[in-house]
Amino acid sequence: TIFENKFEFKENDVKNFDIDNSNFKKLMDCYGSEFEEFRVFKSIFDDFVGFEECKFGKAKDIQEKYIANFTYATFLNFINFRNTTFYSGLNIENTNLKEIPNFLKSSIESKHTNRETIRVIKHSFEKIGNIIEGNKYFSKEMKKYKEELQNKSWKNHFQEKIVFYTNYFISDFGQNYIKPIFLIVVVSILHYFILLGYENNLLYKIYEPANQTLNTISNFLNSIAKNILPFKSLLKEGMEFLSLLFGIAYSILIWLTIVAVKMHTRKG
């Protein structure tokens, strides 16, 4: 079907809405409408498209069949999703967008929303300088990536998984600055007690027959740590290797704290 003139479909309540292989030459406006099942397939929109204050899916039922799907849809102009609710998620992974869509004050259920769709939404906020909202969707994007990583083997993605899960555990991808601050306090207390045990020779009283072996291993690790120049001045004599580990831990935690605070304080 080809719609040559303006197409208005405002404040309607629709159980199943399906646009298949159609072209809209002029404005399309569905303001305030509610759609349970919604699909756009292989269609082109030449002018403004409005879904402001629309609702997609069912409020208490987030089944996949209620995902709002825009598959192989092409939008040659601006598309507005402001104040729109997607109860079961949104799929615009295979959509061609010439202009940045507007998702201001929209609510999008992320369980059934794929990572590429979340990335597009994140980019739409970052492009207009709304960094705070962009950061929220960055966190959601990373959680989706986490789900993808779970299906990959540790053997082929060991380094990637270590970095990723460390970031997730410590700061929830920059969304939580309380956790890294708390971990800094915990690591500081642990560091203090280890230093106390070393100064009072308590570590060697735990199991004395193993002291010679421990000394050999300790001397070897300490000699390696002494050669790492950036941390050399911070290393405690006799505990160089442990001091190095704690130094690295403090550096990671402080950096992630700074990143998390910046993500929460940058103006949107």
Side-chain angles (χ1 to χ4, degrees):
T1 304
I2 297 176
F3 295 88
E4 296 285 359
N5 295 314
K6 180 179 178 180
F7 178 83
E8 285 192 350
F9 196 77
K10 296 181 179 180
E11 298 180 334
N12 293 292
D13 192 349
V14 188
K15 185 173 179 63
N16 192 312
F17 193 81
D18 197 345
I19 300 174
D20 193 343
N21 196 27
S22 298
N23 291 356
F24 294 78
K25 297 295 184 180
K26 299 294 181 180
L27 178 148
M28 175 188 178
D29 192 0
C30 296
Y31 176 87
S33 293
E34 297 185 18
F35 309 95
E36 281 194 11
E37 295 184 45
F38 181 94
R39 185 187 77 129
V40 175
F41 182 72
K42 286 187 177 179
S43 297
I44 300 174
F45 301 83
D46 290 6
D47 209 331
F48 172 86
V49 178
F51 289 102
E52 185 168 351
E53 297 201 15
C54 289
K55 291 180 174 59
F56 295 86
K58 299 176 72 174
K60 296 182 180 180
D61 189 348
I62 60 171
Q63 295 182 65
E64 287 189 51
K65 69 177 184 177
Y66 294 125
I67 299 172
N69 280 292
F70 294 81
T71 308
Y72 304 123
T74 298
F75 295 93
L76 300 176
N77 208 310
F78 185 70
I79 179 169
N80 182 19
F81 289 113
R82 185 169 52 202
N83 290 311
T84 298
T85 302
F86 298 90
Y87 291 117
S88 297
L90 171 66
N91 180 10
I92 54 174
E93 182 177 14
N94 296 309
T95 298
N96 301 308
L97 298 165
K98 188 174 181 181
E99 301 285 344
I100 300 168
N102 181 7
F103 287 97
L104 186 64
K105 296 183 180 179
S106 289
S107 174
I108 305 168
E109 192 279 327
S110 59
K111 181 178 179 181
H112 298 310
T113 301
N114 58 59
R115 181 162 69 95
E116 178 60 20
T117 296
I118 293 174
R119 187 198 65 77
V120 171
I121 299 169
K122 177 199 71 175
H123 178 69
S124 73
F125 284 114
E126 290 177 341
K127 198 71 175 178
I128 62 173
N130 193 336
I131 304 301
I132 293 176
E133 286 298 317
N135 288 339
K136 289 179 182 179
Y137 281 96
F138 169 76
S139 178
K140 292 181 180 182
E141 181 187 5
M142 290 298 98
K143 287 176 181 177
K144 283 293 176 180
Y145 187 49
K146 175 174 173 283
E147 294 173 8
E148 295 176 13
L149 272 181
Q150 288 175 343
N151 298 321
K152 296 180 180 180
S153 67
W154 277 92
K155 182 179 179 180
N156 297 324
H157 300 86
F158 180 78
Q159 184 175 343
E160 184 180 8
K161 283 194 171 190
I162 287 292
V163 173
F164 190 87
Y165 284 118
T166 299
N167 196 332
Y168 170 69
F169 174 74
I170 294 176
S171 67
D172 195 17
F173 308 117
Q175 292 302 297
N176 190 331
Y177 54 83
I178 301 299
K179 285 175 69 176
I181 292 174
F182 172 75
L183 288 171
I184 289 173
V185 174
V186 171
V187 171
S188 298
I189 294 172
L190 178 63
H191 192 188
Y192 169 75
F193 279 111
I194 289 176
L195 287 174
L196 196 65
Y198 174 77
E199 290 171 357
N200 291 280
N201 209 29
L202 297 176
L203 298 177
Y204 294 96
K205 296 178 181 178
I206 297 174
Y207 185 64
E208 294 184 1
N211 284 347
Q212 186 174 353
T213 303
L214 289 174
N215 270 328
T216 302
I217 296 172
S218 177
N219 290 334
F220 173 72
L221 295 176
N222 287 339
S223 63
I224 294 175
K226 289 177 183 178
N227 294 316
I228 302 178
L229 297 178
F231 290 92
K232 192 171 183 180
S233 61
L234 303 176
L235 304 182
K236 181 175 177 59
E237 186 177 353
M239 293 185 63
E240 287 85 357
F241 184 72
L242 279 175
S243 299
L244 175 64
L245 294 182
F246 277 107
I248 294 171
Y250 286 130
S251 299
I252 293 171
L253 291 171
I254 290 171
W255 170 249
L256 290 176
T257 301
I258 293 171
V259 170
V261 170
K262 286 179 67 176
M263 290 181 75
H264 279 81
T265 55
R266 291 174 69 181
K267 293 183 179 179

